[in-house]
Amino acid sequence: MLIKNDKTTAFKSWRLDPFEELQRVWGAITGDTSLGIPHIVGRASFVGGNVSGLEIKVVLHTEEGELVFKDGNDVYFIIPANPQDGLEGIYMKLNNALRNAR
Amino acid sequence: MKRKSSSISINAPKEAVESVLNDAPSFITNWPYVVRVSMKEGLKAEIMMPRFLFRFRDVYRFDHHADYNSHIYDGRGAKGHVALVVTLKEWQKEISAVLELSYKGKGEFWLGKTLQNFVESIGSVLKELAENRPVQEQIQTYSRVRGGTAVNVDFADPMSVANFLSKSRMIHSGLHILGEEGLLGLASELRATMPDRILYVSGITSDGTSSFKVLLDGSRVLAIEHRTQEGVKAVKVENDEDAKVAFDVAAGIRGAYMVNVWVPVGGV
């Protein structure tokens, strides 16, 4: 039987400012992208539905792709980050990914 | 009884769709196969459905019923009974309508194809009418919605920003240099080309060391955040004192920023 522990990781809100973390990696997102498409890769740790920890790195992939999965109280994600979308666009993608994480 | 259904997504606010559906006489007049509509003794429509060489012509008397998400047009004729049920679904900015047409009466076994055409064309008529509602009406409903979500935005609460952005779209993106006047110069520059009352403007330097976000309602600043390596200054304007602080923050933002502008759209 599949046991869901949605209570601990159902996304409600932020305990930290995600913009701070996104801004920190912005230079890498807008940097040299001739080798591939920038993606944000990282982990969000949940406490009672709120994101209390967030780590983000930027990697280049040759193809655009999204991957999000849950492991215990953490959600791991790889999300394409197009500099044209701006910080807000990437923030919304991250929000959606966390909300839909299974 | 023959039933045919069709669904269609409509790119217009729900209010516009509802106002089309509530105006049954002009909605029915725009249906295909409708030859004549009369308003004497209730709403009557003469409908002529063609199939092969035949024409099935009858005068139906229509009743319109509506509840929170569905509209029923029930037409009784001398030889048949036609009923259309329109169900609206709203998901974020998307409105979709499911139409189900049922017909019982003369020639119902032959009319399958005709009825399918009928219901699909009603769908596209509905889409067309709703999307071409007078702009004035749409603007009024928009601005009510806009004021509502925009005033709740507090940059210290990322979820309030997400709620606002999920109902917005980006209308401008470009590199701007903020000079002597700081952010205020940019604001008036943007105002000159953008008719929207509420603007969400965000900017970031290419290396990500400095950024700002500001929410403008006309010439007022509703909320502002300026983030540099030294720290964050965020103000949500609720009184005159805040407005002064926000003004100082805005005036102090200088440099070359990649600027994105978002505006709210209808449908909440």
Side-chain angles (χ1 to χ4, degrees):
Chain A
M1 198 178 89
L2 187 72
I3 299 166
K4 284 189 181 171
N5 59 349
D6 281 340
K7 271 186 189 156
T8 50
T9 51
F11 177 49
K12 273 191 260 160
S13 186
W14 296 93
R15 273 289 153 70
L16 49 86
D17 189 349
F19 284 102
E20 190 178 327
E21 198 65 11
L22 288 170
Q23 187 176 338
R24 203 178 51 72
V25 298
W26 182 253
I29 294 173
T30 54
D32 180 16
T33 54
S34 55
L35 295 172
I37 301 159
H39 286 62
I40 53 169
V41 178
R43 182 180 64 148
S45 355
F46 282 76
V47 173
N50 296 310
V51 179
S52 59
L54 183 68
E55 294 164 28
I56 299 181
K57 277 184 188 162
V58 174
V59 296
L60 299 176
H61 281 286
T62 46
E63 277 174 36
E64 193 169 301
E66 185 173 321
L67 176 67
V68 182
F69 64 92
K70 242 181 210 185
D71 180 25
N73 288 338
D74 293 342
V75 172
Y76 295 83
F77 55 84
I78 302 177
I79 302 167
N82 185 349
Q84 313 252 296
D85 295 339
L87 270 190
E88 279 74 15
I90 297 168
Y91 167 61
M92 291 309 286
K93 276 191 188 167
L94 178 60
N95 250 330
N96 284 339
L98 294 180
R99 190 168 292 136
N100 298 329
R102 291 277 176 276
Chain B
M1 178 85 80
K2 261 245 176 338
R3 285 173 197 277
K4 294 287 170 189
S5 63
S6 159
S7 80
I8 195 154
S9 71
I10 300 170
N11 194 8
K14 194 175 183 190
E15 288 84 356
V17 184
E18 296 259 88
S19 69
V20 171
L21 291 171
N22 283 326
D23 187 1
S26 59
F27 181 43
I28 290 174
T29 310
N30 281 291
W31 290 5
Y33 307 141
V34 169
V35 195
R36 195 175 299 122
V37 173
S38 109
M39 291 295 291
K40 278 183 213 151
E41 305 157 45
L43 174 59
K44 281 185 181 164
E46 185 174 348
I47 299 177
M48 188 178 70
M49 291 185 277
R51 183 66 173 150
F52 310 122
L53 294 173
F54 308 108
R55 306 267 186 279
F56 295 90
R57 187 192 285 260
D58 200 355
V59 178
Y60 299 87
R61 195 202 148 100
F62 275 95
D63 284 322
H64 171 221
H65 314 274
D67 67 11
Y68 73 101
N69 72 341
S70 65
H71 289 255
I72 300 168
Y73 303 88
D74 191 26
R76 290 183 177 275
K79 288 170 258 172
H81 180 190
V82 62
L84 175 77
V85 182
V86 182
T87 313
L88 295 181
K89 286 196 190 115
E90 191 175 21
W91 169 246
Q92 295 184 347
K93 277 167 275 180
E94 302 266 308
I95 300 272
S96 65
V98 177
L99 296 95
E100 194 182 77
L101 182 74
S102 60
Y103 174 72
K104 185 176 163 64
K106 207 177 169 200
E108 64 175 273
F109 299 107
W110 298 341
L111 283 169
K113 178 103 182 171
T114 308
L115 291 169
Q116 186 64 43
N117 272 343
F118 197 6
V119 70
E120 279 169 14
S121 329
I122 293 174
S124 47
V125 162
L126 174 61
K127 183 180 164 76
E128 212 164 286
L129 288 176
E131 289 178 3
N132 295 318
R133 275 270 125 176
V135 181
Q136 196 61 37
E137 246 172 276
Q138 288 190 9
I139 284 175
Q140 279 170 0
T141 53
Y142 274 9
S143 58
R144 187 162 47 80
V145 170
R146 284 174 176 184
T149 48
V151 291
N152 292 330
V153 173
D154 181 353
F155 288 124
D157 172 14
M159 284 321 271
S160 71
V161 181
N163 288 337
F164 175 78
L165 289 175
S166 66
K167 290 158 198 145
S168 306
R169 67 190 167 88
M170 191 158 81
I171 58 164
H172 172 78
S173 175
L175 191 68
H176 289 258
I177 292 169
L178 278 59
E180 278 298 298
E181 288 176 298
L183 183 56
L184 303 167
L186 173 69
S188 53
E189 193 183 311
L190 295 172
R191 278 271 165 247
T193 52
M194 293 166 193
D196 301 80
R197 190 164 61 89
I198 293 200
L199 297 178
Y200 175 106
V201 184
S202 89
I204 185 163
T205 54
S206 61
D207 55 359
T209 49
S210 172
S211 76
F212 67 84
K213 297 195 272 283
V214 64
L215 190 67
L216 300 165
D217 177 0
S219 55
R220 278 193 311 141
V221 174
L222 293 179
I224 188 166
E225 183 194 85
H226 185 207
R227 188 193 297 274
T228 57
Q229 278 168 321
E230 282 102 64
V232 186
K233 276 181 251 168
V235 183
K236 175 162 171 56
V237 177
E238 271 159 356
N239 53 41
D240 287 354
E241 196 63 26
D242 297 342
K244 206 182 281 174
V245 179
F247 188 85
D248 288 343
V249 174
I253 303 175
R254 307 259 156 85
Y257 287 84
M258 179 74 193
V259 172
N260 291 329
V261 181
W262 296 65
V263 295
V265 292
V268 172

